[in-house]
Amino acid sequence: MLTSHDMLDKINAGESSGVEFKEVVISGGKIKTTHRDHLSDEFAAFANQSGGVVIFGIVDGTHQIKGIDAVDIPALITHISEICHDSIEPPIVNFYVDSIQIPEPNDENAERHLVYVEIERSLWLHNSKNGYFYRHGNSKRKMSTAHVLRVGQSRSQVRVINFDEQSVPNTNQDTLQKELYMRFISDDDTQLLCKRRLLVSNNDTLNATVSGILMCNPTPDGHIYNSYIQAVFYRGKTKDANYQNDAKDYHGPLDKQIIGAYNFVNQYNHISAKKEVGREEKPQYSMRAVFEALVNAVVHRDYAKHGSKIRLFMFSDRLEIYSPGALANTLTVENMIDNQFTRNELLSRLLSELKIDDGMNDSVNRKYFLERRGEGVGIIFNDTEQLSGKRPVYELIGEELKLTIYAAKSLQQ
C-alpha cells in the first residue's frame, strides 16, 4: 500500500522499469481511453518481470497530474481488477489496487484523486491479449520465443526444478510461521530452514519456497492461488444446488486441510447395521481409504496449475475427488496401483515427518501422514472393494485427475 509521500516520489522520479503512468478519461462510468488489451499487456509485463506499479490519472510524457473524479474511482478499480482476472492467462492474482489522494501541485489546501495498481512478480509466465511481454526500461517489450522459453524454464514451467522447491516472490522468513516451521527443524535457525528447502536464496534475497508456504503459512492460498480443498455434500446422486446439504472450504497448511476434509467425509459417512444376534455395522466408506485418497490428492496435485482447487464431492452413492494436474512422468490410470512417482518430493518428505493426532490413528492405521511405501493406491482399491464390492475408478479428465470411490450398500435392517 502506497502513501501519498510514496506516490509523489514516484511521480517526481518519472516512469521506469517499475513505474508506468496512464491518463484516463471516464464518461458515464465507462473507460474511454487506455484500451483493455493494452492494459493487459502492461500488467502482464510487470508480472513477468520484477513487478511494479501503474498509476492512473497522470499524463504520460508530461507527468501532469490530472487526477480522477471521485465518483469514477469504483468503475476504474473494477476495470483494473477484471483485466487482471479475465484478460490475462493465467490470471494475475497477486496485485493490490486502490485510490489515493495527493495535494494539488499549486494548492496545498486542495487534493486530487489517483488510482494505482501494484503488481507483484509472479510465479508464472503470463500471456496477455497481444502475446508475452516484459518491462525494459520505462516501456514494455514483446518476448521472443527464446525469451519465453528461458523465462518458463527459470520458473519451472518445464520442470527443470521441482515446482514445490521454487521460490515464491515477495516472501521472506517472516512469511513462514514459527509454530509451523519448527515442526521440521530442531532449532530456530535460518540455515536450517534453507537446508530443509523451506527457504531458498534468490538473487541474494531469501524467499519462502512453494512447500514452505504450503506447510508453514497459515493462509497458503494467499500466495499459491487455489491451494485449498473444497468439499460439498449432496443428498442425491447429482450436483444439484437444491440438494446441497453442506459445503466447506478447508484452508491452512496442507496437513490441516487433509484433516478438515477427512472429518467432513467422516461426518456424513453413514453407518448401517443389522439388528440380529451380534450387531453388525457397515460404513459407506473406509475412512482409511478416504485418508489415503486425500493425502494423494494433496501430494500429487500440480500446484503450478492455478485454475482449480482440490474438490471433493459426496453423493448418496459415491465420493469424487478432483486434483489439478495430469499424471506425472510415466504414470497412467492403468498402472497407478503398481507404480510410484512423486511430483512434489519435498512436500512428500515433509508430510512423512508429521505425526497424525492420536484420535485418528485407529481409523487410518498409520502414525504419519505419509508412509512413503507406495501403498496408498492399493489401500484405496482394496479397502473400497472389500466394503462396497466395487472397484474405485481413476480418470484423467483434461488437466485434472478424478477418483471415484463407491459407497457400500446399506445392510438389511
mmCIF file with all atom_site columns, all heavy atoms in Angstrom, residues 14-25:
data_model
loop_
_atom_site.group_PDB
_atom_site.id
_atom_site.type_symbol
_atom_site.label_atom_id
_atom_site.label_alt_id
_atom_site.label_comp_id
_atom_site.label_asym_id
_atom_site.label_entity_id
_atom_site.label_seq_id
_atom_site.pdbx_PDB_ins_code
_atom_site.Cartn_x
_atom_site.Cartn_y
_atom_site.Cartn_z
_atom_site.occupancy
_atom_site.B_iso_or_equiv
_atom_site.pdbx_formal_charge
_atom_site.auth_seq_id
_atom_site.auth_comp_id
_atom_site.auth_asym_id
_atom_site.auth_atom_id
_atom_site.pdbx_PDB_model_num
ATOM 1  N N   . GLY A 1 14 ? 9.500   9.906  -12.247 1.00 0.00 ? 14 GLY A N   1
ATOM 2  C CA  . GLY A 1 14 ? 9.139   9.565  -13.618 1.00 0.00 ? 14 GLY A CA  1
ATOM 3  C C   . GLY A 1 14 ? 9.018   8.078  -13.856 1.00 0.00 ? 14 GLY A C   1
ATOM 4  O O   . GLY A 1 14 ? 9.243   7.245  -12.967 1.00 0.00 ? 14 GLY A O   1
ATOM 5  N N   . GLU A 1 15 ? 8.651   7.722  -15.078 1.00 0.00 ? 15 GLU A N   1
ATOM 6  C CA  . GLU A 1 15 ? 8.471   6.316  -15.424 1.00 0.00 ? 15 GLU A CA  1
ATOM 7  C C   . GLU A 1 15 ? 9.800   5.572  -15.432 1.00 0.00 ? 15 GLU A C   1
ATOM 8  O O   . GLU A 1 15 ? 10.843  6.141  -15.750 1.00 0.00 ? 15 GLU A O   1
ATOM 9  C CB  . GLU A 1 15 ? 7.788   6.194  -16.788 1.00 0.00 ? 15 GLU A CB  1
ATOM 10 C CG  . GLU A 1 15 ? 6.336   6.651  -16.788 1.00 0.00 ? 15 GLU A CG  1
ATOM 11 C CD  . GLU A 1 15 ? 5.674   6.490  -18.137 1.00 0.00 ? 15 GLU A CD  1
ATOM 12 O OE1 . GLU A 1 15 ? 6.305   6.872  -19.158 1.00 0.00 ? 15 GLU A OE1 1
ATOM 13 O OE2 . GLU A 1 15 ? 4.539   5.983  -18.179 1.00 0.00 ? 15 GLU A OE2 1
ATOM 14 N N   . SER A 1 16 ? 9.716   4.291  -15.090 1.00 0.00 ? 16 SER A N   1
ATOM 15 C CA  . SER A 1 16 ? 10.911  3.458  -15.018 1.00 0.00 ? 16 SER A CA  1
ATOM 16 C C   . SER A 1 16 ? 10.502  2.013  -15.269 1.00 0.00 ? 16 SER A C   1
ATOM 17 O O   . SER A 1 16 ? 9.363   1.733  -15.651 1.00 0.00 ? 16 SER A O   1
ATOM 18 C CB  . SER A 1 16 ? 11.563  3.591  -13.634 1.00 0.00 ? 16 SER A CB  1
ATOM 19 O OG  . SER A 1 16 ? 10.697  3.067  -12.633 1.00 0.00 ? 16 SER A OG  1
ATOM 20 N N   . SER A 1 17 ? 11.435  1.086  -15.033 1.00 0.00 ? 17 SER A N   1
ATOM 21 C CA  . SER A 1 17 ? 11.107  -0.325 -15.217 1.00 0.00 ? 17 SER A CA  1
ATOM 22 C C   . SER A 1 17 ? 10.047  -0.787 -14.232 1.00 0.00 ? 17 SER A C   1
ATOM 23 O O   . SER A 1 17 ? 9.382   -1.802 -14.460 1.00 0.00 ? 17 SER A O   1
ATOM 24 C CB  . SER A 1 17 ? 12.367  -1.180 -15.051 1.00 0.00 ? 17 SER A CB  1
ATOM 25 O OG  . SER A 1 17 ? 12.912  -1.010 -13.746 1.00 0.00 ? 17 SER A OG  1
ATOM 26 N N   . GLY A 1 18 ? 9.864   -0.029 -13.136 1.00 0.00 ? 18 GLY A N   1
ATOM 27 C CA  . GLY A 1 18 ? 8.895   -0.420 -12.131 1.00 0.00 ? 18 GLY A CA  1
ATOM 28 C C   . GLY A 1 18 ? 7.722   0.526  -11.977 1.00 0.00 ? 18 GLY A C   1
ATOM 29 O O   . GLY A 1 18 ? 6.873   0.318  -11.103 1.00 0.00 ? 18 GLY A O   1
ATOM 30 N N   . VAL A 1 19 ? 7.636   1.562  -12.828 1.00 0.00 ? 19 VAL A N   1
ATOM 31 C CA  . VAL A 1 19 ? 6.561   2.548  -12.713 1.00 0.00 ? 19 VAL A CA  1
ATOM 32 C C   . VAL A 1 19 ? 6.049   2.921  -14.097 1.00 0.00 ? 19 VAL A C   1
ATOM 33 O O   . VAL A 1 19 ? 6.839   3.199  -15.011 1.00 0.00 ? 19 VAL A O   1
ATOM 34 C CB  . VAL A 1 19 ? 7.034   3.827  -11.984 1.00 0.00 ? 19 VAL A CB  1
ATOM 35 C CG1 . VAL A 1 19 ? 5.902   4.857  -11.920 1.00 0.00 ? 19 VAL A CG1 1
ATOM 36 C CG2 . VAL A 1 19 ? 7.516   3.497  -10.578 1.00 0.00 ? 19 VAL A CG2 1
ATOM 37 N N   . GLU A 1 20 ? 4.731   2.957  -14.248 1.00 0.00 ? 20 GLU A N   1
ATOM 38 C CA  . GLU A 1 20 ? 4.086   3.345  -15.508 1.00 0.00 ? 20 GLU A CA  1
ATOM 39 C C   . GLU A 1 20 ? 2.962   4.326  -15.201 1.00 0.00 ? 20 GLU A C   1
ATOM 40 O O   . GLU A 1 20 ? 2.212   4.138  -14.229 1.00 0.00 ? 20 GLU A O   1
ATOM 41 C CB  . GLU A 1 20 ? 3.526   2.108  -16.218 1.00 0.00 ? 20 GLU A CB  1
ATOM 42 C CG  . GLU A 1 20 ? 2.757   2.388  -17.496 1.00 0.00 ? 20 GLU A CG  1
ATOM 43 C CD  . GLU A 1 20 ? 3.660   2.701  -18.677 1.00 0.00 ? 20 GLU A CD  1
ATOM 44 O OE1 . GLU A 1 20 ? 4.881   2.417  -18.589 1.00 0.00 ? 20 GLU A OE1 1
ATOM 45 O OE2 . GLU A 1 20 ? 3.145   3.224  -19.682 1.00 0.00 ? 20 GLU A OE2 1
ATOM 46 N N   . PHE A 1 21 ? 2.831   5.405  -16.010 1.00 0.00 ? 21 PHE A N   1
ATOM 47 C CA  . PHE A 1 21 ? 1.752   6.376  -15.849 1.00 0.00 ? 21 PHE A CA  1
ATOM 48 C C   . PHE A 1 21 ? 0.687   6.151  -16.922 1.00 0.00 ? 21 PHE A C   1
ATOM 49 O O   . PHE A 1 21 ? 1.002   5.817  -18.066 1.00 0.00 ? 21 PHE A O   1
ATOM 50 C CB  . PHE A 1 21 ? 2.273   7.813  -15.980 1.00 0.00 ? 21 PHE A CB  1
ATOM 51 C CG  . PHE A 1 21 ? 3.302   8.192  -14.939 1.00 0.00 ? 21 PHE A CG  1
ATOM 52 C CD1 . PHE A 1 21 ? 4.307   9.109  -15.236 1.00 0.00 ? 21 PHE A CD1 1
ATOM 53 C CD2 . PHE A 1 21 ? 3.264   7.649  -13.660 1.00 0.00 ? 21 PHE A CD2 1
ATOM 54 C CE1 . PHE A 1 21 ? 5.249   9.470  -14.292 1.00 0.00 ? 21 PHE A CE1 1
ATOM 55 C CE2 . PHE A 1 21 ? 4.198   8.004  -12.709 1.00 0.00 ? 21 PHE A CE2 1
ATOM 56 C CZ  . PHE A 1 21 ? 5.189   8.911  -13.035 1.00 0.00 ? 21 PHE A CZ  1
ATOM 57 N N   . LYS A 1 22 ? -0.565  6.380  -16.555 1.00 0.00 ? 22 LYS A N   1
ATOM 58 C CA  . LYS A 1 22 ? -1.650  6.269  -17.510 1.00 0.00 ? 22 LYS A CA  1
ATOM 59 C C   . LYS A 1 22 ? -2.649  7.406  -17.304 1.00 0.00 ? 22 LYS A C   1
ATOM 60 O O   . LYS A 1 22 ? -3.099  7.668  -16.197 1.00 0.00 ? 22 LYS A O   1
ATOM 61 C CB  . LYS A 1 22 ? -2.393  4.927  -17.338 1.00 0.00 ? 22 LYS A CB  1
ATOM 62 C CG  . LYS A 1 22 ? -1.594  3.707  -17.750 1.00 0.00 ? 22 LYS A CG  1
ATOM 63 C CD  . LYS A 1 22 ? -1.328  3.692  -19.248 1.00 0.00 ? 22 LYS A CD  1
ATOM 64 C CE  . LYS A 1 22 ? -0.504  2.474  -19.630 1.00 0.00 ? 22 LYS A CE  1
ATOM 65 N NZ  . LYS A 1 22 ? -0.097  2.522  -21.063 1.00 0.00 ? 22 LYS A NZ  1
ATOM 66 N N   . GLU A 1 23 ? -2.975  8.097  -18.419 1.00 0.00 ? 23 GLU A N   1
ATOM 67 C CA  . GLU A 1 23 ? -4.047  9.085  -18.384 1.00 0.00 ? 23 GLU A CA  1
ATOM 68 C C   . GLU A 1 23 ? -5.364  8.365  -18.632 1.00 0.00 ? 23 GLU A C   1
ATOM 69 O O   . GLU A 1 23 ? -5.432  7.425  -19.422 1.00 0.00 ? 23 GLU A O   1
ATOM 70 C CB  . GLU A 1 23 ? -3.824  10.148 -19.459 1.00 0.00 ? 23 GLU A CB  1
ATOM 71 C CG  . GLU A 1 23 ? -4.888  11.248 -19.454 1.00 0.00 ? 23 GLU A CG  1
ATOM 72 C CD  . GLU A 1 23 ? -4.661  12.284 -20.543 1.00 0.00 ? 23 GLU A CD  1
ATOM 73 O OE1 . GLU A 1 23 ? -3.659  12.157 -21.285 1.00 0.00 ? 23 GLU A OE1 1
ATOM 74 O OE2 . GLU A 1 23 ? -5.487  13.209 -20.656 1.00 0.00 ? 23 GLU A OE2 1
ATOM 75 N N   . VAL A 1 24 ? -6.422  8.804  -17.956 1.00 0.00 ? 24 VAL A N   1
ATOM 76 C CA  . VAL A 1 24 ? -7.716  8.121  -18.061 1.00 0.00 ? 24 VAL A CA  1
ATOM 77 C C   . VAL A 1 24 ? -8.820  9.139  -18.308 1.00 0.00 ? 24 VAL A C   1
ATOM 78 O O   . VAL A 1 24 ? -8.864  10.190 -17.667 1.00 0.00 ? 24 VAL A O   1
ATOM 79 C CB  . VAL A 1 24 ? -8.035  7.333  -16.770 1.00 0.00 ? 24 VAL A CB  1
ATOM 80 C CG1 . VAL A 1 24 ? -9.382  6.638  -16.890 1.00 0.00 ? 24 VAL A CG1 1
ATOM 81 C CG2 . VAL A 1 24 ? -6.944  6.316  -16.483 1.00 0.00 ? 24 VAL A CG2 1
ATOM 82 N N   . VAL A 1 25 ? -9.709  8.810  -19.241 1.00 0.00 ? 25 VAL A N   1
ATOM 83 C CA  . VAL A 1 25 ? -10.916 9.592  -19.456 1.00 0.00 ? 25 VAL A CA  1
ATOM 84 C C   . VAL A 1 25 ? -12.101 8.670  -19.206 1.00 0.00 ? 25 VAL A C   1
ATOM 85 O O   . VAL A 1 25 ? -12.201 7.602  -19.811 1.00 0.00 ? 25 VAL A O   1
ATOM 86 C CB  . VAL A 1 25 ? -10.988 10.163 -20.887 1.00 0.00 ? 25 VAL A CB  1
ATOM 87 C CG1 . VAL A 1 25 ? -12.319 10.863 -21.096 1.00 0.00 ? 25 VAL A CG1 1
ATOM 88 C CG2 . VAL A 1 25 ? -9.826  11.117 -21.134 1.00 0.00 ? 25 VAL A CG2 1
#
